[in-house]
Amino acid sequence: MCGIIGARVEGDATPFLLDGLARLEYRGYDSAGIAVRTRDRALTVSRSTRRIDVLREQVDALDRDGLTGVGIGHTRWATHGAVTEANAHPHLDCGRRIGVVHNGIIENADALRTMLSAQGHVFRSDVDSEVIAHLVERTLALEPDLLVAVQVATAHLEGSWAIVVLDALSGRMVAAAERSPLVVARAAAGDFVASDVGAIAAWADTFVALRDGDAVELADAWVWTSGGMIVPPPIPQPSPFAAAALDLGDHADHMAKEIAEQPEVVAGLLDRRAAAVADGRLWTDLGLPGFHRLAVLGCGTSLNAGAVIASMLRSTGRVPTDLIVASEADRAVLAPGTLILAISQSGETADVLRALDRFDGRFPVLALTNNLHSSLARRADAVLDAHAGPEIGVAATKTFTAQVVVGVLAMLSALVTSGRIERRQAQSLVGEMHRLPGLLEGAYQASATRIPLLVTSVSAATGFLFLGRGGALPFATEGALKLKELSYRWAEAYPAGELKHGPLALVTEGTPVVVVDNGEPRLQANIAEVAARGGFVITIGGDDADIPAVGQEAGRRRLRAARSADRLPGLDAWGPLEAVVPLQMLARELALQLGCDVDKPRNLAKSVTVE
Ligand code: M6R
């Protein structure tokens, strides 16, 4: 969603601002802008409702000689107010002295706008963020210190904000945050502020994340305040975004690279975590109380990853689980003894954070996130790091796989600690998980050869069905989500047994029906139901499948013998994780054949910070 960049460098700030904005593009945006201080102490502002490249052309046409090294920039993903240049950030005060970029939502913006208008302030946009510029302007009339003025102004705000305020007169720049991420960094090139470490990865090796209530002046010596008191600046952390992580290497796009990285990510996670599972250390180190029930909270792909983890916990440990769509959490009723597992790759998803507000500290919260500095990580009682590395494609791929693996390992460890499974059983289950990198790699290779041709056969279809049973169902759901977000085709996932209760009406000659075949014997009847109506069945499964990507032949045999999908040991109980690889590749290939941008699907954002 919205992104912030600010720079305080020698020379001209615009190349830094534009490069930073380009690195924020992956978050999703529909307008962008920058404001740079000029030598004669004014603000030069450029905004565009088109791509960053267009903004770059606009900026190139400026007289750059008069510009200084102090500036701010923003990518906006419209929520309140249409996509117009006037609504794009930075926003200015009446005197065009103060420039502001803002992420978050000012909930009392209407009341503030009425109050400020009554005092003579003139608004130029429809957006809530503009009130901040006028509040700072009003405060500066009485209080000349920008840092204090920003703190006074933010005291009037309700909601969430990450802001950077630039004063053209003094050249001072202040950043402040409340329930919205913001980081600052000192690098050889100068000082930077950004909503996302990735935006400044090219210049900064370390960074400091602002905490709620912090306000910082980026000056020769940073002045750091917390809750209004001056405090020493926190120690900088190493940036997780090594510049190399942003290179595509031989891959055509970030999504392709991130799909291919999954075997390596999982191998790394097993190296890091597997040894601490069977003796319970992975769980006990989290310092959480025991639990009788698990409530998984998340959205989109993270919720699907949670469904896999929950499926493992039910089948292996017989622990009851709830799956809570975060945006619907106000209707959830949790039983005493419940642990909340809140899953979010970004850790900034507003629906998840608001859902936790509603549970109001009554249940312990374990966060599973790819961002240890996120709002979610900060407010949870314990945190599991997904350790997937930077994921730039808007569609979640390797973070899904990493979340599943870390979540399963942690829950296995909890099962040992609570005596629900024996240490030896945990050891054997973890042993089986060591097959995962090979299974993922095998699935990747099989898909690379088969998927392009298969997709050519279905690229004209307007809708797709995805089916699975038992442990395979969350993967079918994830496959349908991936396909719709990337290719803009309708796609729905169903438990295969539900087909005959309605969705079968959708199947006509050539309707593509993707089946995640985990060996469940009853799937064959469901496949026959589709084929009898002329549906185009694509099976992802074992050796006899259209895409032979599920390496569970032994499991399949056991499944057929057991005839019960919830009594299986090991990977068969909650897999096939490797099926996600062909599902991701199918969605990507279809999107490419339809001419869609796979790294930046329309209307979507990497970090969804609105409810
Ligand atoms: O950052 P989060 O994991 O909380 O994001 C949740 C969803 O917005 C996200 O998974 C979304 O569904 C992705 N675009 C899926 O690829």
Side-chain angles (χ1 to χ4, degrees):
M1 301 212 128
C2 303
I4 285 178
I5 174 83
R8 189 173 167 273
V9 295
E10 292 296 320
D12 177 0
T14 56
F16 292 93
L17 299 177
L18 291 165
D19 286 356
L21 291 181
R23 286 174 190 275
L24 288 167
E25 272 191 303
Y26 80 97
R27 293 167 65 102
Y29 71 106
D30 37 40
S31 57
I34 63 168
V36 182
R37 183 179 187 238
T38 63
R39 289 186 201 288
D40 50 5
R41 303 197 294 177
L43 291 178
T44 287
V45 181
S46 304
R47 301 191 191 99
S48 172
T49 54
R50 296 168 66 196
R51 296 270 130 189
I52 302 296
D53 290 345
V54 177
L55 182 69
R56 200 181 281 276
E57 284 166 19
Q58 258 171 249
V59 172
D60 284 346
L62 294 174
D63 167 18
R64 307 267 286 273
D65 286 348
L67 300 180
T68 70
V70 187
I72 53 181
H74 190 265
T75 47
R76 174 174 184 250
W77 191 88
T79 51
H80 298 75
V83 180
T84 62
E85 274 188 26
N87 285 342
H89 300 221
H91 291 286
L92 308 182
D93 65 335
C94 299
R96 296 182 62 87
R97 167 182 168 186
I98 298 299
V100 172
V101 286
H102 165 232
N103 282 2
I105 291 187
I106 306 303
E107 286 160 6
N108 59 340
D110 289 348
L112 290 170
R113 183 182 277 256
T114 306
M115 184 262 286
L116 289 160
S117 300
Q119 292 173 4
H121 289 265
V122 177
F123 284 78
R124 301 185 189 92
S125 77
D126 303 324
V127 299
D128 54 347
S129 315
E130 191 183 345
V131 298
I132 303 167
H134 295 281
L135 279 174
V136 174
E137 176 181 37
R138 185 180 85 137
T139 313
L140 280 174
L142 303 167
E143 165 54 66
D145 187 299
L146 183 71
L147 180 56
V148 177
V150 169
Q151 290 171 284
V152 172
T154 52
H156 288 84
L157 304 179
E158 289 168 17
S160 58
W161 57 89
I163 56 173
V164 186
V165 180
L166 169 60
D167 178 2
L169 203 60
S170 62
R172 292 171 72 183
M173 186 189 287
V174 171
E178 179 72 34
R179 291 154 61 103
S180 193
L182 200 60
V183 300
V184 291
R186 172 148 290 178
D191 286 339
F192 297 94
V193 51
S195 52
D196 180 329
V197 198
I200 52 176
W203 314 298
D205 296 332
T206 62
F207 72 99
V208 184
L210 274 72
R211 303 185 77 89
D212 292 349
D214 284 359
V216 185
E217 176 167 3
L218 297 183
D220 291 346
W222 290 352
V223 185
W224 201 287
T225 68
S226 177
M229 309 289 288
I230 294 189
V231 294
I235 311 275
Q237 314 265 328
S239 168
F241 276 77
L246 303 176
D247 286 345
L248 284 176
D250 293 336
H251 298 282
D253 46 70
H254 286 288
M255 188 183 183
K257 177 176 180 235
E258 287 153 10
I259 290 173
E261 282 172 353
Q262 292 176 104
E264 191 189 329
V265 166
V266 171
L269 285 170
L270 292 168
D271 277 355
R272 211 175 253 122
R273 302 275 195 185
V277 173
D279 61 7
R281 262 183 306 129
L282 176 47
W283 173 254
T284 50
D285 284 356
L286 294 170
L288 290 167
F291 60 95
H292 304 300
R293 201 174 176 101
L294 183 79
V296 174
L297 186 69
C299 310
T301 291
S302 289
L303 189 65
N304 294 337
V308 182
I309 298 164
S311 148
M312 186 289 290
L313 202 59
R314 286 194 304 272
S315 55
T316 307
R318 316 304 295 169
V319 176
T321 61
D322 301 292
L323 207 63
I324 302 176
V325 176
S327 55
E328 290 292 323
D330 47 353
R331 296 184 172 260
V333 178
L334 300 189
T338 295
L339 169 74
I340 298 177
L341 174 63
I343 310 183
S344 169
Q345 60 80 24
S346 64
E348 299 296 346
T349 298
D351 287 324
V352 173
L353 298 172
R354 292 307 93 82
L356 292 180
D357 287 346
R358 286 175 190 123
F359 294 120
D360 197 20
R362 286 172 290 138
F363 301 91
V365 176
L366 172 59
L368 170 47
T369 178
N370 203 33
N371 181 359
L372 285 186
H373 305 283
S374 61
S375 305
L376 175 61
R378 294 207 298 265
R379 63 184 299 174
D381 299 297
V383 184
L384 286 168
D385 187 350
H387 258 300
E391 187 176 72
I392 307 295
V394 165
T397 52
K398 62 176 177 169
T399 52
F400 169 86
T401 307
Q403 285 166 345
V404 168
V405 170
V406 173
V408 164
L409 290 171
M411 289 303 127
L412 282 176
S413 193
L415 290 177
V416 181
T417 312
S418 63
R420 286 187 174 97
I421 60 172
E422 298 289 331
R423 191 177 168 142
R424 189 180 303 167
Q425 187 185 353
Q427 251 156 2
S428 129
L429 295 175
V430 172
E432 277 207 53
M433 288 180 74
H434 279 97
R435 291 168 49 218
L436 284 172
L439 292 174
L440 290 162
E441 184 59 38
Y444 181 79
Q445 299 301 343
S447 308
T449 52
R450 305 257 181 142
I451 282 197
L453 214 59
L454 255 177
V455 168
T456 311
S457 326
V458 294
S459 59
T462 52
F464 291 69
L465 283 172
F466 286 73
L467 305 177
R469 276 185 180 261
L473 187 54
F475 299 100
T477 309
E478 175 58 10
L481 174 63
K482 247 2 27 125
L483 190 125
K484 70 186 102 174
E485 71 172 326
L486 288 164
S487 70
Y488 319 147
R489 294 293 196 232
W490 288 91
E492 293 303 331
Y494 282 95
E498 273 293 288
L499 194 64
K500 56 191 178 291
H501 299 294
L504 195 55
L506 295 169
V507 178
T508 58
E509 199 61 37
T511 306
V513 180
V514 181
V515 181
V516 182
D517 182 358
N518 57 344
E520 224 289 347
R522 290 171 297 173
L523 271 176
Q524 298 312 318
N526 306 129
I527 290 173
E529 288 157 12
V530 173
R533 277 131 192 116
F536 185 90
V537 178
I538 300 172
T539 50
I540 295 173
D543 289 343
D544 50 354
D546 296 306
I547 306 169
V550 176
Q552 289 181 244
E553 285 311 299
R556 287 158 63 83
R557 281 196 295 279
R558 276 206 299 272
L559 249 167
R560 290 202 171 100
R563 300 252 160 200
S564 163
D566 66 348
R567 280 288 183 195
L568 291 163
L571 298 184
D572 302 322
W574 55 270
L577 179 61
E578 60 277 23
V580 81
V581 174
L583 292 166
Q584 295 161 347
M585 291 170 80
L586 177 75
R588 175 179 172 275
E589 180 63 31
L590 179 63
L592 289 174
Q593 291 196 17
L594 296 173
C596 306
D597 181 339
V598 295
D599 282 342
K600 296 188 219 76
R602 71 182 179 202
N603 302 339
L604 300 182
K606 189 70 188 162
S607 181
V608 184
T609 51
V610 293
E611 280 182 81

